[in-house]
Coordinates of all heavy atoms in Angstrom, one line a residue:
M6 N 0.9 -1.2 0.0 CA 0.0 0.0 0.0 C 0.9 1.3 0.0 O 0.5 2.3 -0.3 CB -0.9 0.0 1.2 CG -1.9 1.1 1.3 SD -3.0 1.0 -0.2 CE -4.0 2.3 0.1
R7 N 2.0 1.1 0.4 CA 2.9 2.4 0.5 C 3.4 2.8 -0.9 O 3.6 4.0 -1.1 CB 4.2 2.0 1.3 CG 3.8 1.8 2.8 CD 5.0 1.5 3.7 NE 4.7 1.2 5.0 CZ 5.5 0.7 5.8 NH1 6.8 0.3 5.4 NH2 5.1 0.4 7.0
W8 N 3.7 1.8 -1.7 CA 4.2 2.2 -3.1 C 3.2 3.0 -4.0 O 3.5 4.0 -4.5 CB 4.7 0.9 -3.9 CG 6.0 0.5 -3.4 CD1 6.2 -0.6 -2.6 CD2 7.2 1.1 -3.7 NE1 7.6 -0.7 -2.5 CE2 8.2 0.3 -3.0 CE3 7.6 2.3 -4.3 CZ2 9.5 0.7 -3.0 CZ3 8.9 2.6 -4.3 CH2 9.9 1.8 -3.7
P9 N 2.0 2.6 -3.9 CA 1.0 3.4 -4.8 C 0.9 4.8 -4.2 O 0.8 5.8 -4.9 CB -0.3 2.7 -4.7 CG 0.0 1.3 -4.4 CD 1.3 1.3 -3.6
L10 N 0.8 4.9 -2.8 CA 0.8 6.3 -2.2 C 2.0 7.1 -2.5 O 1.9 8.4 -2.7 CB 0.5 6.2 -0.7 CG -0.8 5.6 -0.3 CD1 -0.9 5.3 1.2 CD2 -2.0 6.5 -0.8
F11 N 3.2 6.4 -2.5 CA 4.4 7.1 -2.8 C 4.4 7.7 -4.3 O 4.8 8.8 -4.6 CB 5.6 6.1 -2.6 CG 6.9 6.8 -2.9 CD1 7.4 7.8 -2.1 CD2 7.6 6.5 -4.0 CE1 8.6 8.3 -2.3 CE2 8.9 7.0 -4.3 CZ 9.4 8.0 -3.4
V12 N 3.9 6.9 -5.2 CA 3.9 7.3 -6.6 C 2.9 8.4 -6.8 O 3.2 9.3 -7.5 CB 3.4 6.0 -7.5 CG1 3.3 6.5 -8.9 CG2 4.7 5.0 -7.4
I13 N 1.7 8.3 -6.1 CA 0.7 9.4 -6.2 C 1.3 10.7 -5.6 O 1.1 11.8 -6.2 CB -0.6 8.9 -5.5 CG1 -1.3 7.9 -6.3 CG2 -1.6 10.1 -5.3 CD1 -2.4 7.2 -5.6
A14 N 2.0 10.6 -4.5 CA 2.6 11.7 -3.9 C 3.7 12.4 -4.9 O 3.8 13.6 -5.0 CB 3.3 11.4 -2.5
L15 N 4.5 11.6 -5.6 CA 5.4 12.1 -6.5 C 4.7 12.8 -7.7 O 5.2 13.8 -8.1 CB 6.2 10.9 -7.0 CG 7.5 10.4 -6.2 CD1 8.1 9.2 -6.8 CD2 8.4 11.5 -5.9
I16 N 3.6 12.2 -8.1 CA 3.0 12.8 -9.3 C 2.3 14.2 -8.9 O 2.5 15.1 -9.6 CB 1.9 11.9 -9.8 CG1 2.6 10.7 -10.5 CG2 1.0 12.6 -10.8 CD1 1.6 9.5 -10.9
I17 N 1.7 14.2 -7.7 CA 1.1 15.4 -7.2 C 2.3 16.5 -7.0 O 2.1 17.7 -7.3 CB 0.3 15.2 -6.0 CG1 -0.9 14.4 -6.4 CG2 0.0 16.5 -5.3 CD1 -1.8 14.0 -5.2
G18 N 3.3 16.0 -6.4 CA 4.5 16.9 -6.2 C 5.1 17.5 -7.4 O 5.3 18.7 -7.6
F19 N 5.1 16.6 -8.5 CA 5.7 17.1 -9.7 C 4.7 18.1 -10.4 O 5.1 19.2 -10.9 CB 5.8 15.9 -10.8 CG 6.2 16.4 -12.2 CD1 7.4 16.8 -12.5 CD2 5.2 16.4 -13.1 CE1 7.7 17.3 -13.8 CE2 5.5 16.8 -14.4 CZ 6.7 17.3 -14.8
I20 N 3.4 17.9 -10.3 CA 2.4 18.8 -10.9 C 2.4 20.1 -10.1 O 2.4 21.3 -10.7 CB 1.0 18.1 -10.9 CG1 1.0 17.0 -11.9 CG2 -0.1 19.3 -11.1 CD1 -0.3 16.3 -11.8
L21 N 2.5 20.1 -8.8 CA 2.6 21.4 -8.0 C 3.9 22.1 -8.2 O 3.9 23.4 -8.5 CB 2.5 21.0 -6.5 CG 1.1 20.6 -6.0 CD1 1.1 20.2 -4.6 CD2 0.1 21.6 -6.3
W22 N 5.0 21.4 -8.4 CA 6.3 22.0 -8.8 C 6.2 22.7 -10.1 O 6.7 23.9 -10.3 CB 7.4 21.0 -8.7 CG 8.7 21.4 -9.1 CD1 9.6 22.4 -8.6 CD2 9.3 21.2 -10.5 NE1 10.6 22.6 -9.4 CE2 10.5 21.8 -10.7 CE3 8.8 20.4 -11.6 CZ2 11.3 21.8 -11.8 CZ3 9.6 20.4 -12.8 CH2 10.8 21.0 -12.9
D23 N 5.7 22.0 -11.1 CA 5.6 22.6 -12.4 C 4.7 23.8 -12.5 O 4.9 24.7 -13.1 CB 5.0 21.5 -13.3 CG 5.0 22.0 -14.8 OD1 5.9 22.5 -15.2 OD2 4.0 21.8 -15.5
R24 N 3.5 23.7 -11.7 CA 2.6 24.9 -11.9 C 3.2 26.2 -11.1 O 3.0 27.2 -11.7 CB 1.3 24.5 -11.1 CG 0.5 23.5 -11.8 CD -0.1 24.1 -13.0 NE -1.0 23.1 -13.7 CZ -1.4 23.1 -14.9 NH1 -1.0 24.1 -15.7 NH2 -2.1 22.2 -15.4
F25 N 3.9 26.0 -10.0 CA 4.3 27.1 -9.3 C 5.8 27.6 -9.7 O 6.0 28.8 -9.7 CB 4.3 26.8 -7.8 CG 2.8 26.7 -7.3 CD1 2.5 25.5 -6.7 CD2 2.0 27.7 -7.4 CE1 1.2 25.3 -6.2 CE2 0.7 27.7 -6.9 CZ 0.3 26.4 -6.3
E26 N 6.6 26.7 -10.1 CA 7.9 27.1 -10.4 C 8.2 27.3 -11.8 O 9.2 28.0 -12.2 CB 9.0 25.9 -9.9 CG 9.0 25.9 -8.3 CD 9.6 27.2 -7.7 OE1 10.5 27.8 -8.2 OE2 9.0 27.5 -6.6
N27 N 7.5 26.6 -12.7 CA 7.8 26.6 -14.1 C 6.6 27.2 -14.9 O 6.5 27.1 -16.2 CB 8.1 25.2 -14.7 CG 9.4 24.7 -14.2 OD1 10.3 25.5 -13.8 ND2 9.5 23.4 -14.0
D28 N 5.6 27.7 -14.3 CA 4.4 28.2 -14.9 C 3.8 27.2 -15.8 O 3.2 27.5 -16.8 CB 4.7 29.4 -15.7 CG 5.3 30.7 -14.9 OD1 4.7 30.8 -13.8 OD2 6.1 31.3 -15.4
G29 N 3.7 26.0 -15.4 CA 3.0 24.9 -16.1 C 3.6 24.5 -17.4 O 2.9 23.9 -18.3
T30 N 4.9 24.7 -17.6 CA 5.6 24.3 -18.8 C 5.5 22.9 -19.2 O 5.2 22.5 -20.3 CB 7.1 24.7 -18.8 OG1 7.1 26.0 -18.5 CG2 7.8 24.4 -20.1
Y31 N 5.8 21.9 -18.3 CA 5.8 20.5 -18.7 C 4.4 20.0 -18.8 O 4.1 19.3 -19.7 CB 6.6 19.8 -17.6 CG 8.0 20.1 -17.6 CD1 8.5 20.8 -16.5 CD2 8.9 19.7 -18.5 CE1 9.9 21.1 -16.5 CE2 10.2 19.9 -18.6 CZ 10.7 20.8 -17.5 OH 12.1 21.0 -17.4
T32 N 3.4 20.3 -17.9 CA 2.1 19.9 -18.0 C 1.4 20.4 -19.3 O 0.6 19.7 -19.8 CB 1.3 20.2 -16.7 OG1 1.4 21.5 -16.4 CG2 1.8 19.4 -15.5
A33 N 1.7 21.6 -19.6 CA 1.2 22.1 -20.9 C 1.5 21.3 -22.0 O 0.8 21.1 -23.0 CB 1.5 23.6 -21.0
E34 N 2.8 21.0 -22.1 CA 3.4 20.1 -23.3 C 2.6 18.8 -23.2 O 2.3 18.3 -24.3 CB 4.8 19.9 -23.1 CG 5.5 19.2 -24.2 CD 5.3 19.9 -25.7 OE1 5.2 21.2 -25.6 OE2 5.1 19.2 -26.6
V35 N 2.4 18.2 -22.0 CA 1.7 16.9 -21.9 C 0.3 17.1 -22.5 O -0.2 16.2 -23.3 CB 1.7 16.3 -20.5 CG1 0.8 15.2 -20.4 CG2 3.1 16.0 -20.1
E36 N -0.4 18.1 -22.2 CA -1.7 18.4 -22.6 C -1.7 18.6 -24.1 O -2.7 18.1 -24.8 CB -2.3 19.6 -21.9 CG -2.6 19.4 -20.4 CD -3.0 20.7 -19.7 OE1 -3.1 21.7 -20.4 OE2 -3.2 20.6 -18.4
R37 N -0.8 19.4 -24.6 CA -0.7 19.5 -26.1 C -0.6 18.1 -26.8 O -1.1 17.9 -27.9 CB 0.4 20.4 -26.5 CG 0.0 21.8 -26.5 CD 1.1 22.7 -27.1 NE 2.4 22.7 -26.5 CZ 2.6 23.5 -25.4 NH1 1.7 24.4 -25.1 NH2 3.8 23.5 -24.8
S38 N 0.3 17.3 -26.2 CA 0.6 15.9 -26.8 C -0.7 15.2 -26.8 O -1.0 14.4 -27.8 CB 1.7 15.2 -25.9 OG 1.8 14.0 -26.4
F39 N -1.5 15.2 -25.7 CA -2.8 14.4 -25.6 C -3.8 15.0 -26.6 O -4.4 14.2 -27.3 CB -3.4 14.4 -24.3 CG -2.8 13.4 -23.4 CD1 -1.9 13.7 -22.4 CD2 -3.3 12.1 -23.5 CE1 -1.4 12.7 -21.6 CE2 -2.8 11.1 -22.7 CZ -1.9 11.4 -21.6
R40 N -3.8 16.3 -26.8 CA -4.7 16.8 -27.9 C -4.3 16.5 -29.3 O -5.2 16.1 -30.1 CB -4.7 18.4 -27.7 CG -5.5 18.9 -26.5 CD -5.8 20.4 -26.6 NE -6.1 20.8 -25.3 CZ -5.4 21.7 -24.6 NH1 -4.2 22.1 -24.9 NH2 -5.9 22.0 -23.3
S41 N -3.1 16.5 -29.6 CA -2.5 16.1 -30.9 C -2.8 14.6 -31.1 O -3.3 14.3 -32.2 CB -1.1 16.3 -30.9 OG -0.5 15.9 -32.1
A42 N -2.7 13.8 -30.1 CA -2.9 12.3 -30.3 C -4.5 12.1 -30.5 O -4.9 11.3 -31.3 CB -2.5 11.6 -29.1
A43 N -5.3 12.9 -29.9 CA -6.7 12.7 -30.0 C -7.2 13.1 -31.4 O -8.0 12.6 -31.9 CB -7.5 13.5 -28.9
L44 N -6.5 14.2 -32.0 CA -6.8 14.6 -33.3 C -6.5 13.6 -34.4 O -7.2 13.4 -35.4 CB -6.2 15.9 -33.7 CG -6.7 17.1 -32.8 CD1 -5.8 18.3 -33.3 CD2 -8.2 17.4 -33.3
H45 N -5.5 12.7 -34.1 CA -5.0 11.7 -35.0 C -5.9 10.4 -34.9 O -5.7 9.5 -35.6 CB -3.6 11.4 -34.8 CG -2.7 12.5 -35.4 ND1 -2.4 13.6 -34.6 CD2 -2.1 12.7 -36.6 CE1 -1.7 14.4 -35.3 NE2 -1.5 14.0 -36.5
M46 N -6.7 10.3 -33.8 CA -7.5 9.0 -33.6 C -8.7 9.1 -34.5 O -9.1 10.2 -35.0 CB -7.9 9.0 -32.2 CG -6.8 8.8 -31.3 SD -7.3 8.7 -29.5 CE -8.0 7.1 -29.5
P47 N -9.3 8.0 -34.8 CA -10.5 8.0 -35.7 C -11.6 8.8 -35.0 O -11.8 8.7 -33.7 CB -10.9 6.5 -35.6 CG -9.6 5.8 -35.3 CD -8.9 6.6 -34.5
G48 N -12.3 9.6 -35.7 CA -13.3 10.5 -35.1 C -12.8 11.8 -35.0 O -13.5 12.8 -34.9
G49 N -11.5 12.0 -34.9 CA -10.9 13.3 -35.0 C -11.1 14.2 -33.9 O -10.1 14.5 -33.1
F50 N -12.2 14.9 -33.7 CA -12.4 16.0 -32.8 C -12.9 15.6 -31.5 O -13.6 16.5 -30.8 CB -13.2 17.1 -33.4 CG -12.5 17.7 -34.6 CD1 -12.9 17.3 -36.0 CD2 -11.4 18.5 -34.5 CE1 -12.3 17.8 -37.0 CE2 -10.7 19.0 -35.7 CZ -11.2 18.6 -36.9
G51 N -12.8 14.5 -31.0 CA -13.4 14.1 -29.8 C -14.2 12.8 -29.8 O -14.4 12.1 -30.8
W52 N -14.9 12.5 -28.7 CA -15.7 11.3 -28.6 C -17.1 11.6 -29.2 O -17.7 12.6 -29.0 CB -15.8 11.0 -27.2 CG -16.7 9.7 -27.0 CD1 -16.2 8.5 -27.1 CD2 -18.0 9.6 -26.6 NE1 -17.2 7.6 -26.7 CE2 -18.3 8.3 -26.5 CE3 -19.0 10.6 -26.3 CZ2 -19.7 7.8 -26.1 CZ3 -20.2 10.0 -26.0 CH2 -20.6 8.7 -26.0
K53 N -17.6 10.7 -29.9 CA -18.9 10.8 -30.5 C -19.6 9.4 -29.9 O -19.1 8.3 -29.9 CB -18.9 10.6 -32.0 CG -18.2 11.9 -32.6 CD -18.3 11.8 -34.1 CE -17.4 13.0 -34.7 NZ -17.3 12.9 -36.2
P54 N -20.9 9.6 -29.6 CA -21.7 8.4 -29.2 C -21.8 7.4 -30.3 O -21.9 7.8 -31.5 CB -23.0 9.0 -28.7 CG -23.2 10.3 -29.5 CD -21.7 10.8 -29.7
P55 N -21.9 6.1 -29.9 CA -22.0 5.1 -31.0 C -23.4 5.2 -31.6 O -24.4 5.6 -30.9 CB -21.9 3.7 -30.2 CG -22.0 4.1 -28.7 CD -21.7 5.6 -28.5
A56 N -23.4 5.0 -32.9 CA -24.6 5.0 -33.7 C -25.0 3.7 -34.2 O -24.1 2.8 -34.6 CB -24.5 5.9 -34.8
I57 N -26.3 3.3 -34.1 CA -26.7 2.0 -34.6 C -27.3 2.3 -36.0 O -28.2 3.2 -36.1 CB -27.7 1.4 -33.6 CG1 -27.1 1.1 -32.3 CG2 -28.3 0.1 -34.3 CD1 -28.1 0.7 -31.2
T58 N -26.9 1.6 -36.9 CA -27.4 1.8 -38.3 C -28.1 0.4 -38.7 O -27.6 -0.6 -38.3 CB -26.4 2.3 -39.3 OG1 -25.3 1.2 -39.4 CG2 -25.8 3.6 -38.9
V59 N -29.1 0.5 -39.6 CA -29.7 -0.6 -40.1 C -29.7 -0.6 -41.6 O -30.0 0.4 -42.2 CB -31.2 -0.7 -39.6 CG1 -31.9 -1.9 -40.1 CG2 -31.3 -0.7 -38.1
N60 N -29.2 -1.7 -42.2 CA -29.3 -1.9 -43.6 C -30.7 -2.3 -44.1 O -31.0 -3.5 -44.0 CB -28.2 -2.8 -44.1 CG -28.1 -2.9 -45.5 OD1 -28.8 -2.3 -46.3 ND2 -27.1 -3.8 -46.0
R61 N -31.4 -1.4 -44.6 CA -32.8 -1.7 -44.8 C -33.0 -2.6 -46.1 O -33.9 -3.3 -46.3 CB -33.6 -0.3 -45.2 CG -33.6 0.5 -43.9 CD -34.7 1.7 -44.2 NE -34.7 2.6 -43.0 CZ -35.4 2.3 -41.9 NH1 -36.2 1.2 -41.9 NH2 -35.4 3.2 -40.9
D62 N -31.9 -2.7 -47.0 CA -31.9 -3.6 -48.1 C -31.9 -5.1 -47.6 O -32.4 -5.9 -48.4 CB -30.8 -3.3 -49.0 CG -31.0 -1.9 -49.7 OD1 -32.1 -1.5 -49.9 OD2 -29.9 -1.4 -50.1
A63 N -31.4 -5.3 -46.6 CA -31.3 -6.7 -46.0 C -32.7 -7.3 -45.7 O -32.9 -8.4 -45.6 CB -30.4 -6.7 -44.8
F64 N -33.7 -6.4 -45.5 CA -35.0 -6.8 -45.1 C -35.9 -7.0 -46.2 O -37.0 -7.5 -46.1 CB -35.7 -5.9 -44.1 CG -34.9 -5.8 -42.8 CD1 -34.3 -4.6 -42.3 CD2 -34.7 -6.9 -41.9 CE1 -33.6 -4.6 -41.1 CE2 -34.0 -6.9 -40.7 CZ -33.6 -5.7 -40.4
K65 N -35.4 -6.6 -47.5 CA -36.3 -6.8 -48.6 C -36.3 -8.1 -49.2 O -35.2 -8.8 -49.1 CB -35.8 -5.7 -49.7 CG -36.1 -4.3 -49.3 CD -35.8 -3.4 -50.4 CE -36.0 -2.0 -50.1 NZ -35.6 -1.0 -51.2
P66 N -37.4 -8.7 -49.6 CA -37.5 -10.1 -50.0 C -36.8 -10.2 -51.5 O -36.6 -9.4 -52.3 CB -39.0 -10.4 -50.1 CG -39.7 -9.2 -50.0 CD -38.7 -8.1 -49.5

């Protein structure tokens, strides 16, 4: 139980250090990286709800 808490404390410490000492330089680059990766994923500009489509020709005799 100590290791997960230690890792969480390190992450929070890094974020606080970055925000107050570096004006968010590192975390801003990580956010830009995630946005760039999201744009390259299928769907492009974010999450879209799944759509159910029906092929009406399949029901014709």
Side-chain angles (χ1 to χ4, degrees):
M6 186 64 182
R7 291 180 188 168
W8 282 107
L10 292 176
F11 180 72
V12 171
I13 291 170
L15 281 178
I16 292 170
I17 290 173
F19 172 76
I20 292 171
L21 290 174
W22 170 77
D23 183 48
R24 291 289 180 196
F25 293 118
E26 295 294 324
N27 293 328
D28 296 324
T30 303
Y31 294 109
T32 52
E34 184 61 34
V35 170
E36 290 171 5
R37 271 193 296 275
S38 174
F39 274 103
R40 285 190 196 112
S41 176
L44 289 175
H45 289 83
M46 293 179 76
F50 296 104
W52 182 82
K53 295 179 183 175
I57 298 174
T58 58
V59 177
N60 185 357
R61 296 190 183 276
D62 292 334
F64 296 117
K65 289 184 181 176

